[in-house]
Amino acid sequence: MTENLINRISFYLASGGLFNPELADHIAVRTLLFECREALAQRTWVGLTDEDLKLLSAEWRIVYGAWMDDFARDIEAKLKEKNT
């Protein structure tokens, strides 16, 4: 879906929408904006990979001690809760 929206936006801009928007098909632009809004609302959460967590845990263990091992997962869970 995202690729389709990108192509449609590019076509609109290449067809004069960038420099002469008053000549645009306003119904088509409205439909495109609605579809973009829906696509943005369907964000998927991209969390930390296991490799990211290993690196963070290793750095934090050196500085703060072993009790920081689960800190990254706790932060990630809070971020996911607020952003999905």
Side-chain angles (χ1 to χ4, degrees):
M1 179 177 195
T2 305
E3 188 67 31
N4 180 34
L5 292 173
I6 291 169
N7 290 337
R8 289 171 55 201
I9 292 169
S10 297
F11 177 77
Y12 165 74
L13 294 174
S15 299
L18 182 60
F19 299 108
N20 203 359
E22 63 271 7
L23 296 177
D25 177 354
H26 296 291
I27 302 298
V29 173
R30 183 187 69 186
T31 302
L32 178 60
L33 288 172
F34 286 153
E35 290 178 17
C36 288
R37 180 183 64 187
E38 289 173 16
L40 289 170
Q42 297 174 2
R43 302 183 292 177
T44 55
W45 175 255
V46 179
L48 297 172
T49 65
D50 288 336
E51 185 64 28
D52 294 335
L53 291 171
K54 286 178 188 173
L55 291 171
L56 288 172
S57 291
E59 291 293 325
W60 288 338
R61 184 178 292 141
I62 291 168
V63 177
Y64 298 107
W67 64 274
M68 294 296 287
D69 285 349
D70 293 327
F71 188 59
R73 284 280 184 216
D74 292 340
I75 292 172
E76 184 180 34
K78 287 289 184 186
L79 288 170
K80 183 176 182 180
E81 179 182 311
K82 292 185 181 281
N83 289 297
T84 55

